[in-house]
Structures are given as C-alpha cells and as structure tokens.
C-alpha cells in the first residue's frame, strides 16, 4: 500500500498538470475565438454585408474553432482524440457529399462578399443573365432584369463563369456602325457624323471620338464610330446619336442601303 502512495501522487501530479494545461487551452482558446469572431464581424461590417450573413458566418467559424480547441484540450489530458477526429471527418465527408451543391454556393458566396466582383445596383452579365444586382445572399444572388423580371442565380454558377460588370468604370465607349451607299461622298459622311458627335453634350471630348471608313461591304460603305460617355449616359448617347445621324443623312440625301433581290424571268 505504501508503494502505491508515491505512484498515486505522481499520477495525480501529472494529471493535475495536464488538467491545468487543458483548462489553460480552453481559456486561451476562448479568448482567441472571441477576438477572431469580433474581427470577422468588424471586417464584414465595414464591407456593408447584410447582418444575417455576418451572423451566420461568425457562428459557423465560431463552431469550427471551438471543435479544434476542445479536441486540443482533450488530447492534453490524455484522451485519445483520433477516433473523434475520424468520426468528425466521416460525418463532414457525408455532409459534404449530401450538401455539395449548397456548400459550393456558400463558398462562392464568400468569394463574392470578400472580393466584390460586383455590388448591389451594378449592371452585370453573369451565368447568361444580364440585369441589375438586387441583393447578394450567402447562397444566391438576385438580379432584376431590365424588363423587370426577378432572377435568382446560385452563387456557384456565377463564380464558375465569366462576370462582366458594366458599371465598375466611370465611363464607357459607345460603338456605332453606319452604312451608306457606295455613291456617297466619304468626307461628307464623316463630316455629318462628326457634327452630330460634337453637338452631343454627353459625349466626352477626351478621348477624341473615332470616325473612320471601316469596311467595304457587299452593298454599303460601313463607317466605324467610337465615342466615350459616362456609364450612366451610355444608352442615351447610343439612341440619340443613332437617331440624329439618320435624320442628318436624310437631310443631305445620303441613302442607307438595304438588302435587295433582283429576279430575272426567262421565257422558254
């Protein structure tokens, strides 16, 4: 019995140290987790992310970190955690297979939130859809098409393809193509187009508008015209210039060719 006392004391001393270490791990882990959680909430809050998304993300990260801290504490007091890790891994794998589409959307949602390829209100073309971004959630993004349809797209489809954001830059180039008949005076046509461009107040003078004969087509001379305008004025400039050029062509007797077919009938 006397021989067991030193062994018990030694075991108690060793276990006590391990227990204290485990408690320290739990305390320090708790402090670190709270710090990380507040940091994530602060960073996402500065990016004007929806409150529901912030809460969900912070809670998910909080759970994951606590799992690691608890496993570290259990390992410290001598409890074998390999089986726990295996069970958690197997459960995670099963859940991952069952929810792979949902998890892919979630991951894509995080990428959209942090890298911001677009914001609410931007005119965007993604996943074959063109419209204004109405809202961004963790799993999907809602678009409003320009004919006022609501379109909900899973985030994974958006991030797996090409994203074209039409409102990121402050100005855009407006491209035109005008065709006139072959008997038209090239210099006169260029002068008419230049006059319309110069008179439009929404068109920028710098960069200078580009007006050139760009193509000798089958039935027309096609002029390439490029002008710059503010992004929000793009369609106003496009429709105004197209209409005004047609009016000026009519005033100056410059014809715009249209497809024609000649039918020849031979009597046998």
């Amino acid at each position: 019995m006397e021989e067991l006392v030193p062994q018990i004391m030694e075991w108690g001393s060793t276990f006590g140290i391990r227990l204290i270490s485990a408690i320290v791990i739990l305390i320090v882990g708790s402090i670190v987790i709270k710090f990380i959680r507040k940091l994530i909430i602060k960073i996402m809050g500065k990016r004007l992310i929806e409150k529901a998304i912030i809460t969900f993300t912070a809670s998910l990260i909080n759970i994951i970190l606590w799992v690691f801290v608890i496993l570290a504490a259990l390992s410290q007091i001598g409890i074998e955690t390999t089986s726990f890790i295996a069970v958690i891994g197997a459960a995670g794998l099963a859940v991952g297979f069952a929810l792979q589409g949902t998890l892919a959307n979630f991951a894509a949602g995080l990428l959209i939130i942090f890298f911001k390829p677009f914001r609410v209100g931007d005119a965007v073309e993604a996943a074959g859809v063109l419209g204004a971004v109405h809202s961004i959630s963790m799993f999907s993004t809602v678009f409003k098409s320009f004919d006022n349809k609501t379109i909900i797209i899973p985030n994974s489809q958006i991030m797996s393809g090409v994203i074209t954001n039409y409102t990121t830059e402050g100005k855009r180039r407006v491209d035109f193509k005008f065709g006139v008949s072959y008997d038209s005076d090239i210099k006169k046509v260029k002068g008419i187009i230049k006059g319309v461009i110069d008179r439009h107040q929404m068109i920028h003078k710098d960069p200078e508008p580009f007006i050139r004969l760009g193509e000798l087509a089958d039935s027309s001379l096609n002029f390439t015209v490029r002008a710059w305008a503010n992004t929000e004025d793009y369609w106003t400039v496009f429709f105004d210039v197209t209409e005004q050029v047609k009016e000026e062509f009519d005033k100056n007797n410059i014809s715009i060719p249209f497809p024609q077919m000649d039918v020849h009938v031979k009597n046998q």
Side-chain angles (χ1 to χ4, degrees):
M1 187 68 179
E2 293 180 358
E3 294 178 356
L4 293 175
V5 173
Q7 295 179 5
I8 293 172
M9 291 180 65
E10 183 181 354
W11 178 85
S13 176
T14 303
F15 181 77
I17 292 173
R18 288 183 175 181
L19 182 60
I20 292 172
S21 299
I23 294 172
V24 170
I25 289 174
L26 289 173
I27 294 173
V28 173
S30 175
I31 295 172
V32 172
I33 289 172
K34 286 181 181 178
F35 173 77
I36 293 174
R37 191 171 187 274
K38 289 180 180 179
L39 182 63
I40 290 171
I41 292 174
K42 183 178 180 180
I43 292 173
M44 295 181 74
K46 286 184 177 180
R47 292 175 177 268
L48 302 178
I49 299 169
E50 295 179 12
K51 189 175 180 180
I53 297 176
I54 296 175
T55 303
F56 178 82
T57 306
S59 299
L60 181 63
I61 294 174
N62 186 70
I63 293 171
I64 294 172
L65 292 177
W66 265 115
V67 169
F68 282 107
V69 170
I70 291 172
L71 288 175
L74 292 175
S75 177
Q76 189 63 34
I77 60 177
I79 297 176
E80 185 61 44
T81 57
T82 306
S83 57
F84 287 102
I85 296 173
V87 170
I88 293 173
L93 188 62
V95 172
F97 276 117
L99 302 175
Q100 56 183 335
T102 303
L103 293 176
N105 290 328
F106 175 76
L110 289 178
L111 293 176
I112 292 173
I113 289 168
F114 283 103
F115 291 103
K116 291 189 178 298
F118 50 79
R119 300 171 184 269
V120 173
D122 286 357
V124 172
E125 184 175 2
V129 173
L130 174 63
V133 179
H134 182 263
S135 63
I136 304 169
S137 68
M138 191 58 70
F139 299 100
S140 63
T141 299
V142 179
F143 282 69
K144 285 283 188 181
S145 65
F146 296 118
D147 56 353
N148 204 32
K149 291 184 293 189
T150 299
I151 305 171
I152 302 173
I153 308 175
N155 288 331
S156 59
Q157 292 187 19
I158 294 175
M159 293 303 293
S160 63
V162 176
I163 301 172
T164 304
N165 192 328
Y166 293 99
T167 52
T168 303
E169 303 298 331
K171 61 182 180 181
R172 285 183 61 190
R173 193 182 75 188
V174 189
D175 294 343
F176 304 91
K177 186 177 181 180
F178 299 110
V180 298
S181 62
Y182 264 90
D183 58 0
S184 301
D185 186 300
I186 294 176
K187 290 183 179 180
K188 184 178 181 181
V189 172
K190 289 174 65 176
I192 292 171
I193 297 173
K194 187 176 185 302
V196 172
I197 295 292
D198 289 344
R199 287 192 298 271
H200 204 292
Q201 297 181 351
M202 292 181 180
I203 294 178
H204 296 182
K205 305 304 179 184
D206 184 25
E208 184 179 354
F210 176 91
I211 306 170
R212 292 288 189 276
L213 175 60
E215 183 184 12
L216 303 176
D218 292 340
S219 59
S220 64
L221 301 173
N222 293 334
F223 287 80
T224 299
V225 180
R226 298 168 183 160
W228 289 85
N230 292 337
T231 299
E232 61 269 22
D233 299 329
Y234 179 91
W235 288 112
T236 301
V237 170
F238 179 84
F239 291 121
D240 284 355
V241 171
T242 301
E243 182 178 325
Q244 291 168 18
V245 166
K246 174 61 170 67
E247 291 174 348
E248 291 298 318
F249 281 174
D250 290 344
K251 290 178 183 178
N252 289 272
N253 296 319
I254 294 176
S255 62
I256 299 176
F258 53 89
Q260 300 182 53
M261 179 182 294
D262 293 333
V263 179
H264 300 274
V265 179
K266 292 185 178 180
N267 294 323
Q268 294 293 332

